Amino acid sequence: MTELIFELTSPGRKAYTLPDCDVDVDYDDKIKDFIDEEPVNLPEVSEQDLMRHYVELSTLNFHVDKGMYPLGSCTMKYNPKINEDIARLDGFSDIHPYSADEDIQGLLEMLFDFEKDLKILTGMDKFTFQPAAGAHGELTGIKIFRKYFDNKGEDRDKIIVPDSAHGTNPATASMGGFEVITIKSNDKGCVDLDALRDAMDETVAGLYLTNPNTLGIFEEDILEIAKIVHDEGGLLYYDGANLNATMGISRPGDMGFDIVHLNLHKTFSAPHGGGGPGSGPIGVKDFLTQYLPVPVVKKDDNGNKYKLDYSLENTIGKIHGFFGNVGVVVKAYAYTKLLGLKGLKKVSEMACLNANYLKDNLKKDYYLKFNRLCKHEFVLSGKNQKAENSVKTLDIAKRMLDFGVHPPTVYFPQIVDEALMIEPTETESKQSLDNFIRIMKKIASEAKNNPETVKKAPHTTPVKRLNEAKAMRNPDLKYENE
Amino acid sequence: MAYYPHTSEEIEEMLSSLGYESIEELFEDIPKEARFNDESLLNEGTSELEVSKLMKELSEKNKTVDDYICFMGGGAYDRYIPSTVDHVISRPEFYTAYTPYQPEVSQGTLQHIYEYQTMICRLTGMDVANASMYDGASALAEAVIMAMNVSRKNKIVVPKSLNPYWLRVVKTYLLGSDAEFVMVEEKNGEIDYCDLEDKIDDDVAAVLTQYPNSFGIVENLKEIKDKFTSKKTMFVVMADPIALGLLKKPGDLGADIVVGEGQQLGIPLSFGGPYLGYFAFRKKYVRKSPGRIIGKTEDKEGKRGFVMTYQTREQHIRREKATSNICTNQGLMTVAASVYMSTLGKQGLREVAEQSYKKAHYLFNELTRIDGIKKAYPDKPFFDEFVIEVNTDLNKLKYKMKKEGYLPGIILKHQYPEKDNQLLIAVTEKRTKEEMDSFVSKIKTILKG
């Protein structure tokens, strides 16, 4: 058990030094009543205590630099180290957000150039880097939906979401004030065109879609889907979580999408940081550019200076206090320059090769509901293991921890029972995939021959299975011992 | 390229094991009309050496707060970041991990967040804190949504002394909802109490207050809370976390939700992000709250451990009925904030706040002695940011001061069109007496000239 930093506290101990205050000023009478006599009860530790504490905590984590992390829809690829160095250059990290345009020409040039690449990659016409994460991009998109239809004087209050969609899609639609209509997938794992036609009418603002979808299957009818939505006056929104499958191969803009978000912390190698920060720029087609949040980056009329432009006529306003997670954008830009758009195409090819290779090698051991060509990810099921030996997908996932790989996303998408959603990404080598296959096969065999080992897993982790019900029943959300 | 490790032999081997001859066959399910064929648009990559050179060149075209002496604030501040912070957040164990979905191998992240939640609660005087929002402004927006859900009312009372840029974010978040924003006038730099009394009634979901406000003035939270007419109205305070190192906690003065911009807690300026929206509230509202929350529990052998809890509020479980759509947050920035708060500790945060207060008041006193400069809001208490009124064209003054090597502050007219000649100046612990004295003498010279 690792002690809490509060348990290491010794009153009076310090990990900081500050220069002596070189001005002689006392608190004035106006402020006196507002001052708290007692300083905030923060930890009191030495610098060495502090470093040992955080290093010890860090050793309890699994992470990409340690092993394979095949979480479906999360694109846990390797994060090139150069990204980190570049984001820490003073010229990026020490810029005040209210700096004048003339003081941030390098930064604006970068954003402008990156936008150019993203436009080619997606087939969209204009981007904003303001959204700080994928779901934040979705939120920006839904507000554009709202304002666009308000301006057209159309009263549309519903959004269609496939049952295989990420949870953020319906949650976002609700935050936009829309009612969510969920449509079922067909037996091929794709959008059911008849269900879509039935749902789509003049009260529907549009469709949220991921392509390839969360089963890793490319929506073959995408052009027909776009037509159905557009014919009824709706808009098509692209959830970019799965862009790693199709870069340089198929563009959302050409598929008919009107708004797309990208996840720079997935597809473009910016690290996930244990939950964030991300960056979720969105791109729109021409007819929606005036709705983007302000400011956007522009080149001035002479074409040699960059500036922030606040003049968008129908802007939804601002979605972030400043300009989004620019420090994350810097990493994604460096990655894009390293690989080039050609390299990104190769990324998608290798991501899909890896996924198909894993799928093919595991489908005998785990049930594969949709046995067909996949893109960058695929979904297995533990339902046979459950039926035959009462070994649940959760048990399989926990057992994987004992073998030093991270489990896939489990129990999602909800349309597959006992789902194991696997996305290896392109950065895993054949050797690493073969190792993963060996582990999965071994667990499948254990589930048959020695199910208790799997059910009681994990056996080798810093803590064993944790009591989540207790955490809910007796909520302990902060350290109370003052 | 190094980031896909496959040799051409391996690619061939893998393809043939799948029964394919070429990579293209992996994409045959994509309809022809939806394929991208214009290879000529795809540019080439470059080496790490070249990229590193390119990025350095781009970065050198920017002017940093070290190229100037910075007196600019307005929500983002030039503070000293102890070395410990970057050393901890540079550990791949923290920065290359994902959301802690498998708690058995994520105890580092989970225990850290539990500690972070504790520190934020102690800072704000609240019961529960979440594992972060994108930034201060989005945290404020989520607080308004939460207040509307808790109170089941839709009127939001906003003083003009709250940062208009942040309010703009709140309004964008609420686009398409039935929220009704009611503005309260400002009087001498703080909330106009008479107007507040007029505007408040039993239908108010939330009263928002910035602490200190967008002019740097410390609003009297207790007095504002006293004007509430309904118990259901939520008091949402957006607080500067460094100011909380000195001032009374909003939780002790009647706040129900306390949010803020956490950039000052060890996070570099980075042109506005990644920053950190901290978010804290009273326990009884936990089921209506947005974002990730970590709770303490034990494993099956009785060992202490931490898990994500109250997940039934979140989008991955609750879908359209979730309290928010937030998924990816600012996780690594919470590590920075915790390391910052632990490095400074109980005494250090007080000392940073105290030095900021004293230096700001020193500069305020010196500046307002100059002919042509007066105190914009003379009788009001402020913390480390203040407004002066300068009898000159501020754009010209700013231009000249920048040439002399200073970022002299923020011209308030951009946010408040009715405020002429007012300059908002921020002073942190980083500024020295020498820097401030020369700043004063430069301004004096310019005003004379």
Side-chain angles (χ1 to χ4, degrees):
Chain A
M1 193 173 75
T2 307
E3 280 180 296
L4 293 164
I5 195 155
F6 307 101
E7 293 165 337
L8 302 171
T9 287
S10 192
R13 199 169 275 167
K14 289 204 272 183
Y16 78 95
T17 54
L18 278 171
D20 293 336
C21 190
D22 55 3
V23 299
D24 189 18
V25 178
D26 270 335
Y27 293 124
D28 61 30
D29 289 338
K30 288 171 284 193
I31 198 78
K32 275 190 176 145
D33 285 346
F34 292 95
I35 292 178
D36 203 333
E37 291 307 318
E38 187 57 28
V40 181
N41 190 16
L42 293 174
E44 294 176 272
V45 295
S46 71
E47 184 172 326
Q48 177 174 279
D49 292 342
L50 180 144
M51 286 311 295
R52 283 183 179 165
H53 176 69
Y54 282 100
V55 169
E56 189 178 340
L57 283 185
S58 78
T59 63
L60 306 176
N61 273 1
F62 192 88
H63 51 105
V64 172
D65 282 1
K66 186 173 184 189
M68 186 167 163
Y69 216 135
L71 279 170
S73 272
C74 300
T75 316
M76 292 297 285
K77 61 173 72 178
Y78 175 72
N79 316 118
K81 298 302 151 199
I82 181 79
N83 294 352
E84 298 302 310
D85 298 342
I86 283 167
R88 283 169 170 80
L89 292 173
D90 296 349
F92 292 122
S93 68
D94 291 345
I95 311 174
H96 195 283
Y98 291 140
S99 296
D101 289 352
E102 71 259 21
D103 288 340
I104 50 170
Q105 285 297 304
L107 187 96
L108 295 180
E109 183 181 338
M110 178 201 76
L111 293 173
F112 191 83
D113 188 54
F114 197 17
E115 182 179 356
K116 234 168 36 189
D117 279 347
L118 294 182
K119 287 198 276 199
I120 293 170
L121 204 59
T122 58
M124 305 307 285
D125 297 317
K126 184 79 195 158
F127 272 84
T128 170
F129 291 98
Q130 214 175 103
H136 206 208
E138 290 180 35
L139 186 70
T140 311
I142 205 79
K143 299 303 176 188
I144 293 177
F145 270 51
R146 174 58 74 187
K147 190 144 189 192
Y148 171 74
F149 288 116
D150 280 356
N151 279 4
K152 286 183 77 174
E154 294 180 19
D155 193 15
R156 294 175 184 252
D157 56 2
K158 301 186 192 103
I159 293 275
I160 302 175
V161 175
D163 57 1
S164 62
H166 299 117
T168 50
N169 295 174
T172 302
S174 290
M175 282 180 90
F178 291 96
E179 185 196 326
V180 175
I181 304 177
T182 305
I183 54 166
K184 287 216 177 311
S185 305
N186 63 21
D187 54 8
K188 289 162 84 182
C190 294
V191 171
D192 185 313
L193 293 182
D194 288 332
L196 178 62
R197 278 190 203 100
D198 282 350
M200 193 64 219
D201 61 25
E202 76 289 345
T203 66
V204 174
L207 172 69
Y208 264 56
L209 196 66
T210 314
N211 194 18
N213 63 28
T214 57
L215 297 162
I217 295 172
F218 193 90
E219 297 277 355
E220 297 172 343
D221 297 321
I222 183 61
L223 300 169
E224 182 60 20
I225 291 170
K227 188 169 181 311
I228 295 169
V229 173
H230 288 150
D231 280 354
E232 291 290 345
L235 297 175
L236 200 57
Y237 183 93
Y238 176 86
D239 173 337
N242 294 348
L243 184 71
N244 212 45
T246 58
M247 288 184 290
I249 296 159
S250 181
R251 312 191 301 176
D254 299 335
M255 299 177 205
F257 286 95
D258 302 296
I259 308 181
V260 312
H261 83 248
L262 307 179
N263 297 71
L264 299 187
H265 49 295
K266 297 182 179 183
T267 321
F268 295 83
S269 88
H272 285 69
S279 173
I282 69 164
V284 297
K285 289 277 173 65
D286 263 333
F287 72 102
L288 293 174
T289 52
Q290 292 296 318
Y291 290 86
L292 286 173
V294 286
V296 290
V297 183
K298 224 179 155 178
K299 234 178 188 174
D300 72 4
D301 298 336
N302 309 325
N304 46 27
K305 285 256 183 277
Y306 299 91
K307 62 173 195 173
L308 289 171
D309 178 18
Y310 285 84
S311 70
L312 301 182
E313 195 187 345
N314 295 312
T315 179
I316 56 165
K318 278 180 75 67
I319 198 80
H320 184 271
F322 298 101
F323 314 98
N325 286 341
V326 178
V328 178
V329 179
V330 172
K331 297 178 190 183
Y333 177 75
Y335 174 76
T336 305
K337 289 292 120 185
L338 271 165
L339 281 99
L341 298 180
K342 277 210 173 112
L344 292 179
K345 180 178 180 187
K346 193 85 181 161
V347 160
S348 288
E349 290 176 348
M350 294 301 108
C352 293
L353 178 63
N354 278 1
N356 278 286
Y357 182 76
L358 279 188
K359 174 172 67 69
D360 201 59
N361 278 284
L362 291 171
K363 67 183 177 191
K364 287 200 193 83
D365 303 277
Y366 296 87
Y367 176 67
L368 176 63
K369 186 172 176 184
F370 300 100
N371 185 10
R372 50 182 294 192
L373 184 61
C374 71
K375 294 276 88 60
H376 67 307
E377 67 188 4
F378 62 102
V379 181
L380 295 174
S381 163
K383 76 170 197 175
N384 293 344
Q385 282 77 10
K386 190 179 173 191
E388 288 159 23
N389 301 92
S390 329
V391 171
K392 296 186 296 245
T393 278
L394 185 70
D395 303 324
I396 295 167
K398 297 302 180 196
R399 182 64 178 142
M400 292 171 78
L401 300 173
D402 286 328
F403 294 105
V405 292
H406 197 278
T409 299
V410 290
Y411 298 104
F412 184 83
Q414 286 137 326
I415 57 173
V416 175
D417 288 342
E418 299 292 311
L420 289 148
M421 184 196 202
I422 304 175
E423 179 183 5
T425 84
E426 74 285 358
T427 60
E428 295 303 322
S429 67
K430 180 172 179 294
Q431 289 72 18
S432 159
L433 301 177
D434 287 340
N435 181 49
F436 184 76
I437 292 163
R438 266 194 304 276
I439 292 166
M440 290 294 282
K441 281 182 184 293
K442 184 169 168 52
I443 296 173
S445 132
E446 282 181 346
K448 269 199 193 104
N449 305 317
N450 193 4
E452 287 310 302
T453 307
V454 185
K455 285 194 230 173
K456 290 198 176 122
H459 304 277
T460 59
T461 47
V463 291
K464 302 290 181 310
R465 280 194 213 191
L466 290 144
N467 189 340
E468 292 187 18
K470 181 176 187 250
M472 274 292 279
R473 209 168 45 241
N474 305 316
D476 179 341
L477 311 176
K478 67 177 181 11
Y479 183 63
E480 293 287 358
N481 193 357
E482 295 270 324
Chain B
M1 168 39 63
Y3 306 125
Y4 32 84
H6 310 65
T7 64
S8 43
E9 291 77 21
E10 283 166 344
I11 293 173
E12 240 170 79
E13 197 185 325
M14 289 167 78
L15 278 172
S16 79
S17 82
L18 296 170
Y20 294 126
E21 281 174 9
S22 72
I23 286 283
E24 285 69 41
E25 289 174 64
L26 290 173
F27 299 95
E28 62 192 9
D29 53 344
I30 301 181
K32 288 219 157 42
E33 303 78 13
R35 294 223 196 143
F36 177 70
N37 295 314
D38 196 351
E39 290 278 330
S40 70
L41 288 176
L42 303 182
N43 54 24
E44 300 280 348
T46 49
S47 68
E48 185 175 308
L49 175 64
E50 289 159 293
V51 168
S52 136
K53 215 169 132 191
L54 164 80
M55 296 305 285
K56 195 151 190 296
E57 279 164 17
L58 283 173
S59 79
E60 282 165 358
K61 291 184 194 170
N62 301 322
K63 286 244 169 85
T64 74
V65 289
D66 287 332
D67 296 322
Y68 294 110
I69 294 165
C70 180
F71 292 97
M72 195 142 78
Y77 300 85
D78 176 28
R79 295 204 178 271
Y80 180 70
I81 302 175
S83 285
T84 47
V85 174
D86 202 44
H87 280 276
V88 173
I89 67 169
S90 297
R91 292 188 66 86
E93 295 90 338
F94 287 122
Y95 83 79
T96 80
Y98 195 68
T99 299
Y101 284 133
Q102 297 291 340
E104 296 86 350
V105 291
S106 309
Q107 285 300 303
T109 294
L110 288 162
Q111 179 170 332
H112 144 66
I113 297 174
Y114 178 84
E115 293 177 358
Y116 164 80
Q117 289 173 179
T118 305
M119 290 183 215
I120 293 297
C121 287
R122 290 182 179 185
L123 192 66
T124 55
M126 302 310 282
D127 305 324
V128 186
N130 75 17
S132 81
M133 314 308 283
Y134 307 125
D135 70 342
S138 66
L140 181 63
E142 292 272 14
V144 169
I145 293 170
M146 177 171 153
M148 288 171 67
N149 289 335
V150 169
S151 66
R152 299 182 176 277
K153 298 171 191 291
N154 68 340
K155 210 190 270 185
I156 311 298
V157 170
V158 190
K160 285 189 172 167
S161 53
L162 185 134
N163 188 326
Y165 292 155
W166 291 342
L167 179 61
R168 201 163 180 206
V169 176
V170 176
K171 286 186 169 170
T172 306
Y173 261 71
L174 272 298
L175 208 72
S177 75
D178 62 352
E180 182 194 332
F181 291 89
V182 180
M183 299 304 294
V184 177
E185 290 305 318
E186 163 245 319
K187 194 175 170 189
N188 296 327
E190 63 180 9
I191 193 166
D192 180 336
Y193 290 97
C194 293
D195 197 39
L196 175 64
E197 251 174 282
D198 287 348
K199 301 279 167 67
I200 214 162
D201 59 33
D202 290 354
D203 295 328
V204 175
V207 176
L208 315 186
T209 301
Q210 193 183 337
Y211 179 70
N213 68 23
S214 61
F215 313 115
I217 292 165
V218 183
E219 298 269 14
N220 193 328
L221 299 183
K222 203 165 172 302
E223 213 162 305
I224 293 171
K225 176 82 180 189
D226 284 347
K227 308 282 185 220
F228 285 34
T229 57
S230 162
K231 279 204 169 106
K232 286 203 168 147
T233 299
M234 307 271 281
F235 193 15
V236 177
V237 176
M238 182 166 197
D240 174 326
I242 299 295
L244 295 183
L246 182 69
L247 304 179
K248 285 179 180 159
K249 300 175 186 65
D252 296 342
L253 301 167
D256 298 294
I257 306 176
V258 185
V259 299
E261 177 50 73
Q263 176 267 328
Q264 300 185 73
L265 301 172
I267 299 171
L269 285 163
S270 294
F271 195 59
Y275 286 178
L276 165 67
Y278 77 77
F279 194 104
F281 49 90
R282 297 202 184 278
K283 202 186 238 156
K284 59 183 170 186
Y285 306 127
V286 65
R287 283 174 196 279
K288 300 274 187 200
S289 70
R292 194 164 297 146
I293 295 173
I294 305 307
K296 191 179 99 177
T297 185
E298 53 191 32
D299 74 359
K300 59 185 186 184
E301 292 168 356
K303 201 168 163 188
R304 178 166 75 189
F306 301 88
V307 291
M308 289 164 62
T309 190
Y310 289 105
Q311 289 190 67
T312 47
R313 303 163 298 114
E314 292 189 72
Q315 50 76 27
H316 60 281
I317 307 282
R318 199 87 167 125
R319 299 179 76 84
E320 64 264 30
K321 294 199 174 63
T323 52
S324 166
N325 74 339
I326 193 164
C327 179
T328 292
N329 51 42
Q330 301 293 112
L332 194 67
M333 303 296 106
T334 67
V335 182
S338 280
V339 176
Y340 181 84
M341 287 189 276
S342 302
T343 303
L344 289 179
K346 190 174 181 174
Q347 296 307 323
L349 184 70
R350 172 61 60 117
E351 206 180 321
V352 165
E354 215 167 73
Q355 287 213 16
S356 303
Y357 173 94
K358 289 183 174 173
K359 289 173 177 178
H361 284 74
Y362 174 80
L363 183 62
F364 178 76
N365 293 338
E366 295 299 311
L367 282 172
T368 50
R369 271 192 210 131
I370 299 173
D371 270 348
I373 295 185
K374 61 178 195 183
K375 304 171 179 175
Y377 311 107
D379 309 320
K380 302 298 173 196
F382 68 90
F383 171 57
D384 65 355
E385 199 163 17
F386 57 85
V387 182
I388 53 171
E389 214 166 285
V390 193
N391 192 11
T392 189
D393 179 338
L394 283 182
N395 287 311
K396 279 188 189 150
L397 176 70
K398 200 166 171 177
Y399 175 80
K400 287 178 186 161
M401 286 302 285
K402 272 178 68 181
K403 280 202 141 170
E404 297 286 349
Y406 300 89
L407 289 177
I410 292 171
I411 299 173
L412 270 184
K413 202 172 173 58
H414 299 317
Q415 297 170 56
Y416 294 94
E418 72 279 14
K419 294 202 180 285
D420 289 318
N421 298 331
Q422 295 199 0
L423 190 65
L424 177 71
I425 293 174
V427 187
T428 70
E429 78 285 359
K430 260 176 97 170
R431 299 288 72 87
T432 62
K433 180 170 181 295
E434 200 185 333
E435 288 168 346
M436 293 189 284
D437 287 343
S438 64
F439 181 70
V440 170
S441 84
K442 290 275 156 38
I443 287 195
K444 209 187 259 176
T445 315
I446 290 169
L447 288 183
K448 265 188 198 156

